[in-house]
Amino acid sequence: MTFSPQLEAKLEKLINSYPAGRRKSALIPMLMFTQDEVGSVTPELVNEVAKRIGIPPVQVDEVVTYYSMLHKKPMGKYHVQVCTNISCLLWDADKLYEHACHKLGLGHKEVSPDGLISLEEVECMGACSWAPAVQVNYDFHHHVTAEKFDEIIEALKKTKTQ
Amino acid sequence: MADLVNLTINGVAIQAPAGTLLIDAAKKVGIEIPAFCYYEGYSLQAACRMCLVEVEKMPKLQTACTLPVGEGMVVRTESDPVVKARKTTLEFLLTNHPLDCPVCDKGGECELQDMVFRYGAGESRFTEMKHHVDEKQWSPVVFYDGPRCILCYRCVRVCNEGMGVGALGIVNRGVNSEIAPSHGDHLECDECGMCIDICPVGALTSGTYRYKTRPWEMKHVGTICTFCSNGCKTTLGVRDQQIVRGNNRDRSGINDEFLCVKGRYAFDFVESPERLTSPMMKVNGQLQEVSWAKALAAVAAKFSEVKGRGGKFGVVGSTKTTNEENFYLQKFVREGLGTNNIDHHRSGDLVTLIDALAGRENALASVGDVYNAKAALVIGTDLSQEHPLLAFQLRANYRHHNSNIYMVTKGPVREDAVAVAAVRAEAGQEIAALDQLREQLSKESELLVLFGGSVKGEAVRKLVAFADSLGIAKIKYICLVDYSNSRGALDMGLLPDLGPGYKPVDKAGLSLPQMMAATDLDVLWVVGANPLARYQLASKPFVVVQEMFLTETAKAADVVLPASNAYEKSGTVTNVTGEVQKLHVAGKTMGTKPDLEIIGLIAKEMKINAGVWSSNAVFEEIRKAVRGYNIPLPIIATGQAAQTSPLNGRVPVASAPELIQPAGNTLFTSGSLGRYSKKLTSVLEYPGQLYRP
Ligand code: SF4
Ligand code: SF4
Ligand code: SF4
Ligand code: FES
Ligand code: FES
């Protein structure tokens, strides 16, 4: 499996920034970067990453299945992530997530039929100070209320008609 | 020796070497700290929190499995906070546990059950629905029942570290965490079952044993695996005359708790429907069942007749029969039939090694040395395929002692991963390649040399000369041979030119290939071997075969005598490192007889007195007659191994390297025997694919 020249260069730099024998530290960023290009963490990608850093594929799988930002199936163009961990939960994130499901007609890790939006209930994203937090791809949205959530979604939907 | 540290556990002042883990220090003085994830010999995990103890001046309870002892430490292992923490930990562990002990394989020998019984809470505060996932089959031998799993990582670590395979991982997080196999929905691995064995609960279960019995309904018979030369001790679980389990959970024996797929699962050849249970004789070209009396009479009549007219016998002994059987056989053949035409399938050139090392002391290594040697040089063998226990010990040596391992092999091998240097050399060219390692090797203070069957004849002498030239004070050797009693066959003198203890005979007889090529052979007597799988007979002798199965050789026989196997008889076997261990009877198969008895009955029928055929009596004779076998009986009687060393004077026989033919067994084969095990032949890796991640 090969990636675009830009990504290959990025990966090479990444791997070489760790001393020999500790290259497996590159695992998570490597998975993130390659997932962005491939679309999801496919079995081939798992094997490729395992080969490149010299660990058994099952150890890559351990990481892939642990972190909510890594997906084995392709998500929507806009991946909407609602945190329901403790800080956010204290700010009614459970209700926000319910609202999100309702608004989008999607459940956990489901993708809209047009492939535009997907939803996921995620673990803490490190945005606790601005709870409840929502992340769309790599963009954060803070202190999200139901109204604010709708606005975000409408804005996303508009990009399709443009 | 590390400095001693003073500490107090439960009011008792103790001393322990600095660096000792608290859990081990406590164990040494008889204080048990409960633990799940901690397992001696593997990396620390601190996952289960079962071992929490109170340490004065430390703010929180500490995990005894990761805390090294410290000077002046005051530890309490049974105080109120500890007891309460333990109860809570168990309450958590049982949150999603199905509590199906009444049907669980592990019930009765489960560590979780024991802990809950001793420390647990009878009530749970959790009222939520239990999280359930269905049981999965990962291979013919490994099953996983997720809800029973307590996520202790023992299986993951034993597979990674102990086996060097790395086929297991833990996927998902939180309540959804579970063990996952190497290939998504199935396992491709060594199929060793070490993960099942080490699992403290019934989460991993074995294909041969699951739902067959309760542990307390079995008889446990400690005996020796019959598949390869490494000589692992296996405790066979026998229920209603049927072997249902093989393990070495009590860690007795030279293999600690190690067993490979063959030792743990392949015992089912014993109850193969293809087992021969009645003697047979050829009538009009067809083998037909006859009584023992008739078969024995026919054999004795033929033997007497051929002996009487000075005809030619050829006798092929076994690499799997006991020392007593081998000794008795060669004695009867030499003294009773009056011939030295006796041989067996030789797989390593031990004879040349013994000659080359004549006069040295302590030059032959034991299995324990493979674990302790500071440096090891492995030549011409894929250890993980051919010698699973030695490979396991070598990996453990590297893990625990950071030993220097040097590999000289044809292709890449698993041990390369732990080697300081790996050199590639074609079979037969290994010695020439050694010079590449000379510089590194000469820096070692001691060396263990293991060499396979491709190093034979002059190459063995060159190897010894090379090692001597390194200037290392302590060098030990292991000449690798292939089968469970290959070593015993050599030591007992199943050789045309050497009798028991490598004593030369007056007039050398025919070697195995010579018997096969002889045009005037009158009788071919094969005891537990399958030479016709490798050779063709040039003449048409009367063929007598003692066998368990209708092998190529048995099919060609005039008389077939159904033999029992290592799991059905008593006696001793000698492993690859010369360690003698005792067999114990796990069960019997109707209609079969041990080879010792069969040979004895043939002698009796011929009116020849070859001595009583009880293994104890024959072993007494062996102790007197065979160099190195005068071992202390209590050692082997108590299930331990006693090392023999045949080193003494020179062995004045011509080297015949062409007679040495390594069997080339893999982790999943064992000559003709392995193919009769349904379990062994059903794994994906059979017959020989070694998993390389
Ligand atoms: S059976 Fe397979 S997964 Fe289990 S320890 Fe052995 S090699 Fe690893
Ligand atoms: S399967 Fe057994 S050994 Fe493996 S983590 Fe679960 S409980 Fe521990
Ligand atoms: S390593 Fe050899 S002796 Fe040990 S269990 Fe495997 S086949 Fe049997
Ligand atoms: S709990 Fe939601 S971002 Fe930390
Ligand atoms: S034994 Fe110490 S945490 Fe598991």
Side-chain angles (χ1 to χ4, degrees):
Chain A
M1 198 170 185
T2 49
F3 308 105
S4 67
Q6 296 89 317
L7 183 54
E8 286 290 355
K10 201 168 170 180
L11 295 181
E12 176 155 348
K13 186 157 169 263
L14 178 68
I15 288 200
N16 288 325
S17 55
Y18 297 98
R22 311 213 165 233
R23 299 258 147 95
K24 58 181 174 186
S25 304
L27 180 57
I28 294 177
M30 216 166 149
L31 284 168
M32 299 275 292
F33 296 154
T34 50
Q35 167 177 270
D36 284 347
E37 185 167 299
V38 178
S40 64
V41 186
T42 59
E44 298 76 54
L45 183 55
V46 167
N47 288 336
E48 181 64 24
V49 171
K51 202 169 82 198
R52 289 195 186 200
I53 53 179
I55 58 174
V58 66
Q59 287 180 11
V60 176
D61 245 338
E62 289 183 333
V63 170
V64 174
T65 54
Y66 184 87
Y67 289 107
S68 56
M69 75 269 187
L70 296 167
H71 303 107
K72 294 183 131 188
K73 288 200 199 90
M75 290 291 123
K77 182 171 176 211
Y78 299 111
H79 186 48
V80 178
Q81 301 147 67
V82 182
C83 170
T84 54
N85 264 186
I86 192 73
S87 304
C88 296
L89 191 70
L90 292 172
W91 286 93
D92 290 339
D94 52 338
K95 297 203 182 78
L96 178 66
Y97 177 65
E98 237 171 71
H99 172 80
C101 293
H102 200 71
K103 165 86 186 163
L104 295 169
L106 299 173
H108 178 59
K109 283 196 182 180
E110 282 179 4
V111 189
S112 63
D114 60 359
L116 187 71
I117 296 179
S118 52
L119 178 66
E120 183 174 3
E121 179 182 9
V122 297
E123 314 293 340
C124 177
M125 315 182 288
C128 317
S129 321
W130 306 283
V134 167
Q135 199 186 342
V136 179
N137 296 346
Y138 288 111
D139 298 330
F140 277 98
H141 299 271
H142 301 149
H143 304 301
V144 182
T145 57
E147 295 72 38
K148 205 167 162 189
F149 184 83
D150 291 353
E151 280 168 30
I152 297 169
I153 299 302
E154 291 313 322
L156 295 179
K157 282 188 177 158
K158 268 199 200 117
T159 62
K160 194 187 177 191
T161 51
Q162 273 165 10
Chain B
M1 176 95 203
D3 293 341
L4 289 178
V5 165
N6 297 292
L7 67 157
T8 313
I9 305 183
N10 297 348
V12 185
I14 70 159
Q15 286 192 316
T20 311
L21 295 170
L22 193 50
I23 195 168
D24 290 332
K27 189 172 164 192
K28 263 263 155 60
V29 295
I31 297 172
E32 187 191 353
I33 299 175
F36 286 119
C37 69
Y38 177 69
Y39 205 86
E40 233 180 316
Y42 296 104
S43 61
L44 303 180
Q45 195 75 41
C48 72
R49 323 312 284 181
M50 194 59 200
C51 66
L52 291 173
V53 293
E54 199 181 352
V55 182
E56 261 180 28
K57 302 203 179 85
M58 288 199 178
K60 292 196 291 184
L61 298 182
Q62 300 291 314
T63 47
C65 70
T66 55
L67 187 69
V69 291
E71 184 64 36
M73 222 176 219
V74 178
V75 184
R76 279 183 285 272
T77 73
E78 298 292 338
S79 61
D80 286 347
V82 173
V83 169
K84 191 161 163 240
R86 246 173 229 164
K87 268 196 174 152
T88 316
T89 298
L90 286 167
E91 192 180 344
F92 268 125
L93 286 175
L94 294 182
T95 315
N96 284 305
H97 190 282
L99 297 172
D100 56 349
C101 309
V103 295
C104 177
D105 275 355
K106 206 76 177 193
E109 49 182 22
C110 171
E111 293 177 39
L112 181 61
Q113 230 178 24
D114 293 349
M115 296 284 183
V116 174
F117 182 75
R118 249 187 284 171
Y119 307 111
E123 282 170 22
S124 173
R125 283 166 286 176
F126 295 103
T127 54
E128 290 79 3
M129 278 284 277
K130 291 200 184 228
H131 176 74
H132 178 79
V133 285
D134 287 338
E135 181 178 61
K136 303 180 183 92
Q137 176 172 15
W138 287 341
S139 85
V141 297
V142 186
F143 290 68
Y144 177 65
D145 198 339
R148 290 183 191 152
C149 174
I150 60 168
L151 298 171
C152 67
Y153 287 76
R154 277 192 198 174
C155 53
V156 176
R157 283 174 288 156
V158 79
C159 188
N160 267 335
E161 302 166 19
M163 301 310 299
V165 173
L168 298 176
I170 294 198
V171 296
N172 304 331
R173 64 197 280 164
V175 76
N176 296 310
S177 302
E178 58 178 8
I179 304 295
S182 57
H183 284 65
D185 61 347
H186 72 280
L187 265 177
E188 282 175 36
C189 66
D190 278 9
E191 310 286 358
C192 63
M194 289 292 284
C195 49
I196 302 171
D197 203 41
I198 207 170
C199 180
V201 298
L204 287 165
T205 55
S206 122
T208 54
Y209 176 74
R210 57 202 311 275
Y211 300 129
K212 277 236 173 90
T213 180
R214 312 252 67 202
W216 57 85
E217 288 172 334
M218 285 184 290
K219 181 175 87 175
H220 302 277
V221 182
T223 191
I224 308 304
C225 169
T226 189
F227 284 96
C228 89
S229 63
N230 291 190
C232 295
K233 178 139 182 248
T234 169
T235 304
L236 299 174
V238 185
R239 186 186 171 174
D240 298 341
Q241 294 289 312
Q242 189 197 23
I243 305 173
V244 290
R245 179 168 90 174
N247 70 20
N248 200 37
R249 212 57 218 126
D250 62 0
R251 302 176 108 171
S252 59
I254 54 175
N255 48 316
D256 203 48
E257 62 205 315
F258 176 82
L259 286 179
C260 77
V261 59
K262 287 178 275 189
R264 200 181 299 279
Y265 297 115
F267 51 74
D268 62 339
F269 73 87
V270 168
E271 49 172 24
S272 161
E274 292 176 63
R275 230 5 236 287
L276 302 174
T277 52
S278 162
M280 292 191 287
M281 277 173 67
K282 208 158 254 172
V283 183
N284 301 327
Q286 292 286 322
L287 281 171
Q288 282 180 7
E289 295 194 354
V290 295
S291 69
W292 270 100
K294 197 167 168 196
L296 287 168
V299 172
K302 186 72 191 180
F303 282 12
S304 300
E305 180 250 321
V306 173
K307 183 187 170 192
R309 65 177 158 87
K312 194 175 268 185
F313 285 94
V315 181
V316 182
S318 173
T319 49
K320 289 190 189 275
T321 47
T322 64
N323 289 327
E324 292 76 4
E325 289 167 333
N326 295 348
F327 183 87
Y328 198 83
L329 175 68
Q330 64 81 33
K331 185 175 161 202
F332 171 61
V333 168
R334 291 196 157 103
E335 292 168 14
L337 301 181
T339 176
N340 281 318
N341 296 348
I342 183 165
D343 204 349
H344 72 283
H345 176 185
R346 310 182 206 176
S347 49
D349 200 352
L350 184 68
V351 173
T352 306
L353 182 70
I354 290 176
D355 187 42
L357 297 179
R360 300 191 197 190
E361 270 171 30
N362 294 326
L364 297 179
S366 65
V367 168
D369 289 321
V370 182
Y371 175 66
N372 287 311
K374 293 203 174 77
L377 170 62
V378 182
I379 307 171
T381 175
D382 187 338
L383 220 54
S384 291
Q385 286 271 29
E386 297 168 300
H387 300 278
L389 169 63
L390 301 184
F392 179 80
Q393 295 285 51
L394 198 63
R395 274 191 297 274
N397 188 359
Y398 171 76
R399 254 188 1 263
H400 298 159
H401 311 130
N402 206 12
S403 58
N404 290 339
I405 295 167
Y406 301 85
M407 304 301 299
V408 181
T409 57
K410 201 160 120 218
V413 292
R414 186 179 289 164
E415 291 69 40
D416 288 351
V418 294
V420 284
V423 172
R424 301 285 93 100
E426 283 304 313
Q429 309 294 316
E430 294 94 344
I431 303 304
L434 284 176
D435 260 326
Q436 300 173 48
L437 297 172
R438 177 178 292 278
E439 210 191 308
Q440 270 173 294
L441 284 171
S442 36
K443 297 200 184 99
E444 300 295 349
S445 62
E446 62 173 74
L447 186 65
L448 169 67
V449 182
L450 300 96
F451 64 92
S454 57
V455 180
K456 49 189 177 179
E458 270 315 296
V460 176
R461 294 182 201 280
K462 283 190 190 149
L463 173 61
V464 173
F466 170 83
D468 284 343
S469 75
L470 294 169
I472 300 173
K474 193 170 150 202
I475 304 177
K476 287 191 179 188
Y477 295 85
I478 296 177
C479 167
L480 297 168
V481 290
D482 289 339
Y483 290 107
S484 59
N485 206 22
S486 282
R487 179 64 180 265
L490 288 163
D491 288 353
M492 297 306 125
L494 294 188
L495 294 165
D497 44 3
L498 293 171
Y502 304 89
K503 287 188 200 121
V505 299
D506 289 340
K507 187 172 165 293
L510 299 179
S511 68
L512 176 49
Q514 286 167 339
M515 292 174 209
M516 294 296 150
T519 50
D520 56 348
L521 200 63
D522 294 299
V523 166
L524 177 68
W525 180 16
V526 180
V527 178
N530 190 11
L532 295 194
R534 300 185 295 136
Y535 297 98
Q536 273 188 327
L537 261 178
S539 54
K540 287 208 171 346
F542 184 80
V543 180
V544 178
V545 177
Q546 295 175 208
E547 244 309 338
M548 266 186 286
F549 300 104
L550 212 49
T551 59
E552 288 85 342
T553 307
K555 276 187 193 136
D558 293 282
V559 181
V560 182
L561 304 168
S564 50
N565 54 64
Y567 300 151
E568 298 169 336
K569 57 175 112 162
S570 43
T572 62
V573 287
T574 310
N575 81 340
V576 65
T577 49
E579 289 166 86
V580 176
Q581 302 180 89
K582 233 174 149 98
L583 299 179
H584 291 275
V585 180
K588 298 221 160 133
T589 299
M590 279 275 272
T592 68
K593 291 185 194 298
D595 293 288
L596 184 59
E597 185 181 341
I598 300 176
I599 303 163
L601 288 170
I602 293 173
K604 184 175 168 221
E605 197 77 22
M606 288 175 74
K607 309 222 160 28
I608 293 174
N609 184 4
V612 283
W613 55 81
S614 98
S615 52
N616 283 341
V618 180
F619 193 69
E620 262 317 309
E621 243 183 288
I622 292 174
R623 289 180 73 213
K624 290 189 197 102
V626 185
R627 188 189 293 158
Y629 274 74
N630 192 12
I631 48 172
L633 290 180
I635 291 194
I636 57 168
T638 50
Q640 300 172 70
Q643 200 184 13
T644 57
S645 174
L647 292 183
N648 195 339
R650 302 285 309 259
V651 186
V653 295
S655 173
E658 70 283 0
L659 296 177
I660 313 246
Q661 298 190 347
N665 285 318
T666 70
L667 182 54
F668 305 96
T669 63
S670 178
S672 310
L673 183 59
R675 51 188 207 218
Y676 296 98
S677 160
K678 260 204 190 131
K679 261 289 168 284
L680 191 62
T681 52
S682 71
V683 300
L684 200 63
E685 293 80 3
Y686 179 83
Q689 178 199 332
L690 192 64
Y691 175 61
R692 293 203 169 85

